[in-house]
């Protein structure tokens, strides 16, 4: 199989699609792991959003040998000012704004281990995504599954997203139970997702492109999405001490 190379133009287009309306004083995080070298230690870069070209150039540099993800939420300048050893890839409190809601559906194959029941192909994974009444703004093939995004018309403050994310997670957990397919619980505000234009190098000798495969112009408001969501289950009551 011929080598797949990162695409800087695709990376810049993706960053502009998600973050074009964001405050350029905020930061993006790139998270990379060199699976091919057997090195599980992550490399994390915090880069200002005021220069997509610089972010894309660093992503391409990393993607030559690494799997690369980008933080779904922008990070605050205050968090970026801390030493790298203290900030890592960022915590919920470090997040500033979200571009939308996301979903990650793994597809059965050699890159996934465990006893989970995964969709066998793209068509079945896409049918699972289509259970939600609103069409996603964009769907990405991650090289090992599908990642769908419902992008908002304007950034949502991360501090206001907690209840929406909890209801979003509960809804997809319910869809998973109804269909019997596993849905990854990746709905925390500080989550990182694969970056289109980079390469999925998880399987030795079988690099796969990370690429958007479909898109539409629809950008729902959070309130448009919320009407279709279910409440998360009530927490288990605390057991009395013996």
């Amino acid at each position: 199989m011929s080598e797949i190379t990162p695409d800087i133009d695709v990376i810049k287009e993706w960053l502009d699609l998600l973050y074009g309306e964001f405050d350029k004083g905020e930061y993006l995080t790139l998270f990379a792991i060199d699976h091919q070298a057997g090195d599980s230690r992550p490399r994390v870069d915090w880069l200002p959003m005021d220069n997509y070209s610089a972010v894309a150039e660093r992503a391409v540099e990393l993607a030559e040998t690494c799997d690369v993800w980008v933080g779904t939420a922008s990070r605050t300048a205050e968090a970026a000012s801390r030493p790298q050893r203290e900030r890592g890839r960022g915590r919920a409190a470090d997040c500033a704004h979200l571009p939308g809601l996301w979903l990650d559906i793994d597809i059965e194959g050699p890159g996934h281990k465990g006893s989970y029941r995964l969709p066998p192909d793209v068509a079945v994974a896409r049918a699972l995504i289509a259970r939600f009444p609103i069409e996603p703004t964009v769907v990405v093939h991650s090289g090992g599954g599908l990642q769908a995004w419902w992008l908002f018309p304007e950034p949502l403050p991360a501090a206001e997203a907690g209840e929406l994310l909890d209801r979003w997670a509960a809804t997809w957990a319910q869809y998973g139970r109804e269909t019997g397919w596993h849905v990854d619980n990746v709905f925390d505000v500080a989550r990182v997702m694969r970056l289109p234009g980079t390469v999925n190098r998880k399987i030795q000798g079988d690099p796969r492109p990370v690429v958007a495969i479909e898109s539409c112009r629809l950008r729902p408001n959070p309130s448009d999405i919320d009407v279709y969501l279910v409440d998360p289950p009530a927490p288990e009551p605390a057991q009395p001490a013996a």
Side-chain angles (χ1 to χ4, degrees):
M1 181 176 181
S2 60
E3 176 63 18
I4 298 170
T5 57
D7 191 322
I8 193 169
D9 291 329
V10 170
I11 295 171
K12 287 191 286 189
E13 288 173 7
W14 181 258
L15 297 177
D16 189 56
L17 175 67
L18 267 64
Y19 306 109
E21 301 300 320
F22 276 53
D23 181 346
K24 295 305 185 283
E26 296 170 7
Y27 281 69
L28 290 175
T29 51
L30 295 177
F31 183 87
I33 294 178
D34 192 342
H35 284 121
Q36 300 305 301
D39 185 357
S40 61
R41 293 173 299 176
R43 308 176 189 181
V44 183
D45 290 85
W46 290 54
L47 301 164
M49 297 182 73
D50 59 1
N51 189 344
Y52 289 153
S53 293
V55 179
E57 287 168 6
R58 177 55 176 159
V60 166
E61 180 183 0
L62 291 167
E64 292 292 347
T65 58
C66 298
D67 291 80
V68 181
W69 296 260
V70 64
T72 55
S74 59
R75 272 48 168 177
T76 67
E78 180 182 5
S81 68
R82 298 199 310 267
Q84 173 61 49
R85 66 181 181 277
E86 296 180 12
R87 63 179 187 246
R89 73 181 191 186
R91 302 159 297 182
D94 301 327
C95 294
H97 290 88
L98 291 173
L101 296 176
W102 57 89
L103 176 69
D104 187 8
I105 304 293
D106 289 336
I107 294 174
E108 183 180 324
H112 302 120
K113 300 177 181 179
S115 58
Y116 299 125
R117 184 169 180 257
L118 300 176
D121 53 38
V122 168
V124 176
R126 188 61 184 85
L128 176 55
I129 294 170
R131 290 183 69 87
F132 194 70
I134 299 177
E135 184 179 1
T137 312
V138 61
V139 178
V140 172
H141 199 305
S142 67
L146 298 183
Q147 296 178 350
W149 288 83
W150 287 258
L151 299 178
F152 301 144
E154 58 185 33
L156 176 67
E160 300 174 10
E163 183 177 352
L164 181 66
L165 284 169
D166 288 345
R167 286 166 54 77
W168 181 249
T171 300
W172 285 102
Q174 178 173 297
Y175 289 156
R177 290 190 298 270
E178 291 171 353
T179 61
W181 302 122
H182 174 72
V183 177
D184 271 349
N185 186 354
V186 294
F187 307 115
D188 54 294
V189 70
R191 175 61 49 175
V192 296
M193 298 284 279
R194 283 196 182 268
L195 178 59
T198 63
V199 184
N200 185 325
R201 302 184 182 278
K202 189 174 182 180
I203 303 173
Q204 188 77 29
D206 185 16
R208 303 176 183 186
V210 182
V211 59
I213 58 173
E214 60 179 89
S215 62
C216 72
R217 294 173 180 259
L218 188 63
R219 281 181 176 255
N221 288 300
S223 58
D224 299 326
I225 290 175
D226 191 60
V227 297
Y228 297 108
L229 304 183
V230 303
D231 290 327
E236 293 287 336
Q239 296 297 318

